């Protein structure tokens, strides 16, 4: 089996390198040995895989098929070796992480910086921004998202439960009254955070069913922190993640409303590209975050 893999790997290396001499230089093997391995593989399969001339090397039709499948097989084996090695060695290398800005600044930072303190061989590229990040195109290893997973090309692991709060300032409630039903918000000033799912169509739960209420008001903004400030100043009702709303609720600057109608089930998720074997440094970070938020719950 080992000899078979050596022949297959030699075939792939020769074609990837553009010839026997280049492959010998890149991989520290003799040109004669690589040539023997490829010839032995062709003899075993009973087909010619490569057309060889003094100036050019190309694949036959059979060679193209064999190269495509064998390259994928070798990549899976290499990934598996790396995965097992990652489990037995200390996490190291560059880790690219994406997260929403306000969540990253207020809640994620202590958790992820503690991971760095525990694993000094890891370097972190932390990208805090309120936009959809294409993990594959932008080379991101893992994204922290407050949502439900919709992209089937990605896989996710739940980190922690999340919830939202609807509220307004005491002064606004004194002026316009406290809404008793989500539909009341249609006629009240609301602050629209365009990052919120649904934007100006706020979602609530009644009798186990989702209802959508269109809202409007004096402000549309792409920052939940700015939306919170506007709500505290009495400009309108707001829906905020609990980690931003709770401090203002505790201080009395915001008063929760419609608590029996608020949706549940939102989670903080670690989302990463669909790979057969997850890099050890990514797995270590996700395990750390799960443990951290189990003892530091997101209020």
């Amino acid at each position: 089996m080992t000899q078979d893999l050596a022949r297959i790997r030699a075939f792939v290396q020769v074609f990837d390198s553009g010839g026997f001499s280049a492959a010998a230089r890149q991989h520290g093997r003799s040109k004669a040995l690589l040539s023997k391995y490829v010839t032995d593989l062709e003899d075993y399969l009973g087909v010619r895989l490569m057309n060889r001339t003094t100036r050019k090397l190309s694949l036959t039709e059979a060679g193209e098929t064999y190269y495509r499948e064998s390259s994928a097989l070798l990549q899976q084996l290499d990934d598996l070796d790396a995965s097992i090695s990652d489990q037995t060695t200390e996490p190291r290398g560059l880790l690219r992480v994406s997260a929403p800005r306000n969540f990253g600044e207020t809640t994620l930072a202590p958790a992820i910086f503690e991971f760095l303190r525990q694993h000094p061989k890891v370097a972190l590229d932390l990208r805090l921004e309120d936009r959809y990040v294409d993990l594959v195109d932008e080379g991101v290893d893992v994204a922290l998202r407050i949502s439900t997973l919709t992209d089937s090309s990605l896989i996710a692991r739940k980190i922690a439960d999340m919830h939202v709060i609807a509220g307004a300032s005491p002064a606004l409630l004194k002026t316009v009254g406290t809404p008793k039903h989500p539909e009341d918000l249609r006629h009240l000033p609301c602050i629209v955070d365009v990052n919120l799912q649904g934007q100006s169509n706020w979602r609530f739960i009644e009798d186990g069913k989702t209802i959508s209420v269109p809202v409007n008001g004096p402000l549309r903004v792409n920052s939940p922190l700015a939306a919170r400030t506007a709500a505290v100043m009495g400009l309108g009702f707001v829906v905020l993640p609990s980690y931003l709303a709770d401090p203002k609720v505790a201080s009395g600057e915001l008063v929760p409303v419609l608590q029996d109608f608020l949706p549940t089930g939102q989670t903080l998720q670690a989302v990463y590209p669909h790979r057969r074997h997850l890099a050890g440094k990514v797995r270590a970070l996700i395990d750390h975050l799960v443990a951290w938020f189990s003892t530091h719950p997101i209020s």
Side-chain angles (χ1 to χ4, degrees):
M1 180 64 178
T2 301
Q3 190 76 353
D4 292 339
L5 285 175
R7 292 166 179 164
I8 294 171
R9 194 176 292 277
F11 163 67
V12 171
Q13 289 174 346
V14 167
F15 184 71
D16 284 344
S17 301
F20 289 90
S21 298
R25 289 192 299 270
Q26 290 180 25
H27 299 285
R29 290 181 171 183
S30 71
K31 179 180 177 181
L33 180 61
L34 290 174
S35 180
K36 180 180 184 304
Y37 276 159
V38 172
T39 300
D40 287 348
L41 181 62
E42 289 178 324
D43 290 343
Y44 172 75
L45 295 173
V47 295
R48 178 172 290 277
L49 299 174
M50 290 181 172
N51 295 312
R52 310 167 179 82
T53 67
T54 55
R55 293 186 177 183
K56 185 178 180 181
L57 183 149
S58 62
L59 295 178
T60 64
E61 183 177 354
E64 290 178 356
T65 300
Y66 198 79
Y67 172 81
R68 181 172 61 252
E69 298 298 331
S70 60
S71 294
L73 173 63
L74 291 175
Q75 184 61 58
Q76 289 183 19
L77 290 173
D78 290 344
D79 287 348
L80 177 58
D81 288 346
S83 175
I84 298 302
S85 177
D86 282 341
Q87 294 178 30
T88 58
T89 59
E90 183 179 356
R92 67 182 64 224
L94 180 62
L95 188 56
R96 298 178 178 89
V97 180
S98 170
R101 178 176 298 278
N102 294 137
F103 175 75
E105 293 171 345
T106 60
T107 306
L108 178 65
I112 205 165
F113 295 161
E114 175 61 20
F115 175 79
L116 274 185
R117 193 186 66 80
Q118 294 178 10
H119 301 286
K121 294 183 180 180
V122 173
L124 179 68
D125 178 358
L126 179 59
R127 307 174 185 184
L128 302 179
E129 47 195 345
D130 294 321
R131 67 176 181 87
Y132 179 84
V133 174
D134 189 309
L135 276 65
V136 176
D137 285 352
E138 300 183 43
V140 173
D141 296 301
V142 61
L144 282 304
R145 292 179 179 169
I146 303 169
S147 64
T148 55
L149 184 65
T150 56
D151 188 340
S152 61
S153 69
L154 303 175
I155 50 180
R157 181 177 171 188
K158 175 183 172 182
I159 301 297
D161 290 315
M162 305 282 292
H163 65 277
V164 295
I165 291 176
S169 69
L172 182 63
L173 292 177
K174 186 176 180 180
T175 301
V176 303
T178 300
K180 304 300 182 185
H181 188 275
E183 289 290 341
D184 297 340
L185 294 174
R186 289 176 180 265
H187 314 293
L188 296 172
C190 294
I191 299 159
V192 176
D193 175 10
V194 297
N195 290 316
L196 190 69
Q197 187 177 17
Q199 297 194 10
S200 58
N201 290 287
W202 290 359
R203 296 180 182 180
F204 297 90
I205 301 295
E206 184 176 27
D207 298 328
K209 297 181 180 179
T210 300
I211 57 175
S212 180
V213 179
V215 298
N216 208 341
L219 176 66
R220 292 175 62 89
V221 64
N222 67 343
S223 163
L225 201 58
R228 185 184 72 173
T229 300
V232 167
M233 295 179 65
L235 292 179
F237 291 82
V238 71
V239 173
L240 293 169
S242 58
Y243 65 87
L244 286 180
D246 283 347
K248 297 302 181 181
V249 171
S251 68
E253 296 172 273
L254 282 180
V255 178
V257 299
L258 301 171
Q259 296 183 75
D260 293 338
F261 297 93
L262 292 174
T264 58
Q266 267 203 333
T267 58
L268 172 65
Q269 298 177 336
V271 182
Y272 43 95
H274 193 294
R275 298 191 181 103
R276 187 175 180 85
H277 301 290
L278 186 62
K281 59 188 176 182
V282 176
R283 182 183 296 105
L285 173 63
I286 294 173
D287 289 344
H288 168 80
L289 293 177
V290 170
W292 174 276
F293 286 113
S294 70
T295 57
H296 300 73
I298 303 171
S299 58

